[in-house]
Amino acid sequence: MLQIALPNKGSLSEDSVRLVREAGYNCRRLGKELIISDVENGIDFFFLRPKDIAVYVRKGILALGITGRDLALDSGADVVEILPLHFGKSKFCYAVPEDSPITPETLEGKRIATSYAALVSKDLEKRGVKAEIVPLDGAVEISIRLGVADLIADVVQTGKTLKDAGLKVVGDVILNSEAVLVGQDEAVLENPLVKTFVDRLQGIVVARDYVIVEYDVPENLLDQACRITPGIESPTVSPLSKKGWMAVKAMAKKKEVNGIMDALTELGARGIMVLDIRTCRI
C-alpha cells in the first residue's frame, strides 16, 4: 500500500481531503481516525500534524504528503515540491505595531516572536542581521503587548488578525506560501501509484482554474474569435447546420471569463456558454 500524509485538522485538512476525494480516492474521516485505507486504490492516508508531514516524507516513511510550503521549509526537511495545489495561500511577513518605526532594515538587536523560527533565522542570515528569535507556538500577535517581542514574523492571509491586534505588515513578503504536495525526491514519481495520484490531483487543480467556453460565430469572424479564445493548444471548431456559422469550444482561465464573454459578444458571437470542468489532463 502506498502511504500518503494529509493534514489532521484545520482548513488545510478540509481542503486537502476535498481535493483527494474529488480525485477519486476514499479518505473520508468519520471522527478522528489517524489512518484511512483506500483498498481499491492501494493507498493508506495518514492524518498528521502539518508541521510534521515533511519530516516523515523526507525520512522515506511516507511516500507523499500535503502540507504548507511555509511549514515544509520551516521543518528543515529537504523534501521536493511535487505539485502546488493552489489553496491555503498566505504570505509570511514581518509585522509591527501601527506606530512603530521598525522596518526590516532596522532589525539589528530586536526581539522577533514567531512560530517559524527556521524561516526567520534564514531571512536574518540573508540580511546579515543579528536579532533575538522568540519561538512561540501560535498566537504570536499578543507577544508584543505582553512585552516579550518588538515585532513578529507570521503567516498572513486576510490581514484581519493583525489589524485586530493593532499591527501592520512591514517590508517585502518573506515567503509566498500555499498547500503543496511534497515527496522525498523526484524518483518517487517512478512509482506507478504515485504517478497516478499526482496526475489525478493535477487534473483537479487545473480544472479549478479553467472553464470551457462554447459559442457560435460567423465564419468570417472565426479568426478574430479564436484569438479571443485560443484555448490550451487551439480551440475546437466545427461547422453548424446554419450556413456560414461555426461552433467553437475552448478552455479559458476562469478569472478571465467575463472579459472573454464581453469581447465575444462585441464581436458578434451568439449562444455563448461557460461550463465548469470537474477534472482534466493537459
Side-chain angles (χ1 to χ4, degrees):
M1 298 281 280
L2 187 68
Q3 296 181 322
I4 297 176
L6 301 179
N8 66 343
K9 61 181 180 180
S11 60
L12 196 62
S13 175
E14 295 169 2
D15 290 340
S16 297
V17 169
R18 186 178 299 111
L19 173 64
V20 171
R21 291 187 64 200
E22 286 181 20
Y25 296 97
N26 171 34
C27 60
R28 181 193 294 271
R29 297 172 82 190
L30 300 178
K32 295 184 178 180
E33 300 95 331
L34 297 180
I35 306 174
I36 299 293
S37 294
D38 183 347
V39 178
E40 182 178 346
N41 288 294
I43 298 179
D44 284 331
F45 293 101
F46 289 77
F47 291 86
L48 306 173
R49 293 177 68 234
K51 280 192 171 185
D52 298 335
I53 287 175
V55 176
Y56 283 107
V57 171
R58 178 57 198 165
K59 291 180 180 294
I61 298 169
L62 302 173
L64 299 170
I66 294 178
T67 186
R69 180 180 292 128
D70 53 345
L71 297 170
L73 291 173
D74 191 64
S75 73
D78 188 20
V79 292
V80 171
E81 188 173 308
I82 303 293
L83 182 68
L85 301 177
H86 299 186
F87 63 82
K89 293 187 177 183
S90 63
K91 299 176 181 180
F92 189 65
C93 311
Y94 290 116
V96 302
E98 288 284 357
D99 59 353
S100 173
I102 297 173
T103 69
E105 288 70 39
T106 60
L107 295 179
E108 187 73 32
K110 299 296 189 295
R111 299 167 301 165
I112 307 170
T114 186
S115 299
Y116 299 82
L119 284 182
V120 175
S121 179
K122 289 177 183 177
D123 185 67
L124 293 176
E125 183 179 351
K126 185 172 64 176
R127 295 175 185 274
V129 170
K130 290 186 178 180
E132 178 186 351
I133 297 175
V134 181
L136 297 174
D137 189 14
V140 297
E141 298 86 2
I142 197 66
S143 62
I144 300 175
R145 184 176 299 180
L146 293 176
V148 299
D150 302 302
L151 70 156
I152 68 170
D154 203 11
V155 169
V156 178
Q157 291 181 317
T158 65
K160 184 179 184 302
T161 302
L162 288 183
K163 186 176 181 180
D164 290 345
L167 304 178
K168 64 180 181 181
V169 171
V170 290
D172 295 332
V173 173
I174 302 171
L175 173 71
N176 286 299
S177 184
E178 64 181 300
V180 293
L181 180 69
V182 298
Q184 185 181 42
D185 52 41
E186 295 288 352
V188 71
L189 293 171
E190 297 174 6
N191 183 323
L193 288 178
V194 169
K195 182 66 166 57
T196 298
F197 184 80
V198 173
D199 286 347
R200 287 192 184 186
L201 261 59
Q202 187 169 36
I204 300 295
V205 170
V206 172
R208 288 176 174 178
D209 286 342
Y210 284 85
V211 291
I212 294 290
V213 179
E214 295 186 4
Y215 58 91
D216 301 334
V217 67
E219 188 171 4
N220 65 315
L221 299 176
L222 180 61
D223 288 344
Q224 295 177 63
C226 289
R227 284 196 290 271
I228 296 172
T229 58
I232 300 299
E233 300 293 341
S234 63
T236 299
V237 179
S238 56
L240 292 175
S241 58
K242 182 178 180 180
K243 186 175 177 60
W245 281 76
M246 308 296 287
V248 182
K249 179 189 297 185
M251 288 179 67
K253 283 280 190 179
K254 186 177 293 186
K255 64 183 180 182
E256 299 172 358
V257 71
N258 288 303
I260 288 172
M261 292 183 72
D262 293 341
L264 289 173
T265 300
E266 185 176 349
L267 180 66
R270 296 291 181 267
I272 306 168
M273 295 185 294
V274 176
L275 309 175
D276 285 330
I277 307 171
R278 291 188 61 185
T279 186
C280 62
R281 303 289 170 93
I282 297 176

